[in-house]
């Protein structure tokens, strides 16, 4: 992946990019820090430190997250890297930990390159596929930030902790944990437009609540 298109928005992000420059360019650490700082829009590393300090990002209500996905067209042999930039209301690590990425499809192949950069570990088969992967990861992050839920694959997310008690009619269902309420929530993509009689009976038997969301699909 080319480092030239990554624009860090934090000191830690600059340090992470500097490590990549140091390895790829064979330059000294101080030189790499200056180069990474320039990529972030600063004159040098000292300038970045003055502006950003030791916090996550620059002053303001939001920070920026970069999602990068490499791609290689198998027919034309053309390669590239799609980079999606999205705003966040706070640090990514405060929303979801790297160990939790594997628990949700949109983040399952992502790795943390820095506090403001996610990179896909797989190379997409086309530019379009790379864009789709980046957008899927972005939608997952947006959902996590809006709902304040974190992805989970714990068996406890099923009634009585058993998968055989999965809600009838479930399709592409996913488990989430609410850190504030200390409880699990399962999202579902049913084909029915409402709650079926079977689902209502399932909820009554297991003392669960079923509600229809305002969005159409899982993130």
């Amino acid at each position: 992946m080319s480092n030239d298109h990554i624009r860090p928005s934090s000191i830690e992000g600059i340090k992470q990019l500097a490590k990549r420059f140091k390895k790829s360019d064979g330059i000294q650490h101080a030189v790499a820090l200056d180069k990474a700082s320039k990529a972030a829009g600063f004159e040098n590393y000292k300038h970045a430190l003055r502006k950003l300090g030791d916090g996550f990002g620059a002053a303001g209500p939001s920070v920026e997250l970069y999602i990068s996905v490499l791609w290689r067209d198998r027919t034309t042999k053309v390669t590239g890297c799609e980079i999606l930039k999205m705003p966040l209301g706070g640090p990514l690590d405060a929303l979801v930990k790297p160990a939790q990425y594997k628990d949700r499809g949109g983040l399952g192949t992502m790795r943390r390159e820095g506090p403001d950069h996610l990179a896909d570990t797989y190379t997409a088969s086309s530019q379009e596929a790379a864009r789709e992967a980046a957008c899927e990861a972005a939608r997952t992050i947006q959902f996590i930030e809006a709902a304040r839920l974190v992805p989970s694959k714990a068996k406890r997310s099923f009634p009585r902790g058993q998968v055989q008690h999965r809600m009838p009619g479930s399709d592409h269902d996913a488990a989430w944990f609410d850190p504030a309420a200390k409880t699990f929530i399962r999202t579902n993509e049913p084909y029915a437009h409402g709650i079926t009689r079977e689902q209502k009976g399932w909820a009554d038997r297991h003392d669960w609540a079923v509600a229809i969301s305002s969005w159409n699909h899982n993130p």
Side-chain angles (χ1 to χ4, degrees):
M1 178 178 62
S2 172
N3 297 317
D4 298 335
H5 303 293
I6 305 299
R7 185 182 173 91
S9 59
S10 68
I11 290 298
E12 187 179 345
I14 288 174
K15 290 179 178 179
Q16 293 289 336
L17 182 57
K19 291 180 180 179
R20 297 175 67 90
F21 282 139
K22 182 180 179 181
K23 182 178 180 180
S24 63
D25 300 353
I27 56 180
Q28 294 182 347
H29 184 61
V31 177
L33 283 172
D34 285 339
K35 183 176 180 178
S37 298
K38 290 179 181 178
F42 301 100
E43 296 175 5
N44 50 42
Y45 184 58
K46 288 184 178 180
H47 183 216
L49 281 174
R50 287 199 302 270
K51 293 296 184 178
L52 298 180
D54 295 326
F56 178 83
S62 67
V63 294
E64 292 177 338
L65 173 68
Y66 297 83
I67 302 173
S68 59
V69 183
L70 289 172
W71 60 272
R72 182 179 185 274
D73 192 299
R74 298 173 182 174
T75 302
T76 64
K77 309 303 181 184
V78 176
T79 62
C81 179
E82 285 296 303
I83 299 178
L84 183 152
K85 181 176 71 173
M86 62 179 291
L88 285 180
L92 173 66
D93 291 348
L95 296 175
V96 57
K97 304 301 181 185
Q100 296 169 324
Y101 295 173
K102 65 181 184 300
D103 294 334
R104 189 66 196 119
L107 300 177
T109 62
M110 292 290 166
R111 68 173 181 266
R112 182 188 184 278
E113 289 288 345
D116 50 7
H117 181 199
L118 291 179
D120 203 329
T121 57
Y122 289 167
T123 299
S125 59
S126 66
Q127 185 176 23
E128 182 180 358
R131 290 175 177 173
E132 290 177 355
C135 288
E136 184 180 5
R139 289 194 298 271
T140 301
I141 294 296
Q142 287 176 330
F143 175 83
I144 290 172
E145 182 174 35
R148 296 294 167 177
L149 303 175
V150 293
S152 173
K153 284 189 176 179
K155 290 184 178 180
R156 288 179 297 164
S157 65
F158 293 101
R160 303 179 190 176
Q162 297 179 348
V163 68
Q164 59 263 37
H165 294 309
R166 178 187 183 198
M167 187 178 72
S170 292
D171 182 60
H172 291 92
D173 51 333
W176 304 86
F177 182 71
D178 185 339
K182 306 296 183 184
T183 190
F184 289 96
I185 297 172
R186 296 196 66 87
T187 54
N188 184 32
E189 296 180 13
Y191 290 103
H193 296 291
I195 300 172
T196 66
R197 180 181 302 176
E198 291 78 8
Q199 291 170 343
K200 179 65 168 58
W202 169 88
D204 291 341
R205 288 195 306 274
H206 296 292
D207 194 26
W208 273 50
V210 182
I212 299 175
S213 67
S214 59
W215 62 84
N216 295 324
H217 298 284
N218 277 339

